[in-house]
Amino acid sequence: MAQPYIPGYRETAYELSDNGFSIVESIYSTNEVQNILTAINRADTTKETFRKSNDVFAIRQFLKEVPGTFDLIFTDKLRSVIRQIMGDRFFVVKSIYFDKPETSNWYVSYHQDLTISVDKKVELENFGPWTTKQNQFAVQPPIDILENITTIRIHLDDTDENNGALRVVPKSHVKKIYRPETINWAEETETTCCVGQGGIMLMKPLILHSSGRTENKRRRRVIHIEFSDRELPPEIQWAERVNLN
């Protein structure tokens, strides 16, 4: 059965391409958000991919570690967003869950997301540098691979400038590798991406973005999922590839 067309997504696709980000509210109902949170709360938190501190609780390889969330996340409505904005060939390449507690002092300065997760480390031209986090290989790939990726951030709480909403530099994604220390604030502007519970933020990984500390004693829980339709060189594979079809 064909998925329903929901007005506005073509405009969202244009905004994502032009500015490097876009926000779509009300993708999930309050009940759907609660079902996702219930599945997360049932997860085994003792694994290496779970990071726990006073400032953040994070789950890397989220869809793999908490598989019960998959059908709850990929509803007909989200699939319609993905299809209309990205097309039919995109698949998941990375997933992370972030929980910034009510008293978090976790601050993330301006940066671009410059690495992808792969299954092994091999020497490849134009791939590098390499890093390893929690037994997961990550590498900076050629710029065209990064430009192809689209991220969807699913907001499980109301998020604004007081509890860690992302701040972005619009259009910075078109400037290739853009070092934060070279930002010219006389020319650039900053936008705070406030998103309601159940809404999503779409962004290009090359957009400069940052996140502030929590100041209003409210949690900020977000599921971060990256998508691509690009195949990697045969020597390596996407570490977290999940096909949606």
Side-chain angles (χ1 to χ4, degrees):
M1 179 182 297
Q3 299 295 330
Y5 170 72
I6 303 175
Y9 290 170
R10 290 195 181 97
E11 291 77 9
T12 298
Y14 174 80
E15 188 174 50
L16 175 66
S17 176
D18 188 48
N19 288 327
F21 73 100
S22 185
I23 294 168
V24 184
E25 298 284 7
S26 303
I27 294 297
Y28 299 93
S29 67
T30 301
N31 187 59
E32 287 173 327
V33 169
Q34 188 55 55
N35 288 339
I36 293 171
L37 289 171
T38 297
I40 293 171
N41 291 335
R42 290 173 177 165
D44 177 4
T45 62
T46 63
K47 299 180 180 180
E48 291 184 350
T49 49
F50 289 62
R51 172 189 170 191
K52 298 184 288 291
S53 73
N54 291 332
D55 288 328
V56 65
F57 169 56
I59 307 173
R60 294 187 178 275
Q61 303 179 45
F62 173 71
L63 293 174
K64 174 184 175 182
E65 298 293 2
V66 195
T69 61
F70 186 87
D71 289 338
L72 301 174
I73 290 170
F74 289 97
T75 61
D76 287 348
K77 201 166 186 179
L78 185 69
R79 288 175 181 271
S80 182
V81 174
I82 294 169
R83 186 176 59 257
Q84 292 184 49
I85 293 175
M86 304 181 208
D88 294 324
R89 298 176 54 199
F90 275 69
F91 45 84
V92 175
V93 296
K94 183 186 290 186
S95 59
I96 310 172
Y97 170 74
F98 294 107
D99 178 356
K100 182 182 284 192
E102 297 91 332
T103 58
S104 176
N105 285 316
W106 185 38
Y107 170 79
V108 181
S109 60
Y110 268 106
H111 66 285
Q112 297 172 298
D113 293 337
L114 296 177
T115 64
I116 60 173
S117 297
V118 296
D119 62 338
K120 66 175 75 72
K121 180 178 180 180
V122 294
E123 294 302 320
L124 290 171
E125 186 176 2
N126 298 321
F127 281 77
W130 289 79
T131 59
T132 304
K133 288 185 179 179
Q134 297 163 316
N135 297 319
Q136 174 70 73
F137 295 105
V139 65
Q140 183 171 325
I143 194 73
D144 63 299
I145 293 177
L146 293 173
E147 290 173 331
N148 174 258
I149 293 173
T150 296
T151 298
I152 293 180
R153 292 170 56 89
I154 301 166
H155 286 251
L156 305 178
D157 298 291
D158 291 333
T159 306
D160 59 25
E161 64 276 8
N162 296 311
N163 66 331
L166 285 193
R167 295 192 295 266
V168 302
V169 179
K171 303 182 185 297
S172 55
H173 66 300
V174 301
K175 298 184 179 181
K176 309 296 183 180
I177 305 301
Y178 191 170
R179 299 300 179 190
E181 62 271 18
T182 69
I183 299 174
N184 182 353
W185 290 111
E187 297 179 356
E188 304 287 14
T189 60
E190 179 182 73
T191 297
T192 300
C193 301
C194 301
V195 186
Q197 182 188 64
I200 64 173
M201 176 184 174
L202 299 101
M203 58 181 280
K204 303 304 292 184
L206 289 177
I207 193 170
L208 282 164
H209 56 285
S210 69
S211 174
R213 298 177 176 85
T214 300
E215 299 177 355
N216 60 1
K217 307 300 183 183
R218 288 168 48 195
R219 295 173 79 174
R220 191 214 69 180
R221 290 168 289 187
V222 171
I223 298 170
H224 170 116
I225 305 177
E226 297 179 13
F227 300 83
S228 177
D229 67 354
R230 186 69 56 85
E231 299 296 343
L232 298 176
E235 294 87 349
I236 56 175
Q237 300 294 325
W238 296 102
E240 300 179 53
R241 177 170 180 157
V242 180
N243 294 325
L244 299 180
N245 299 323

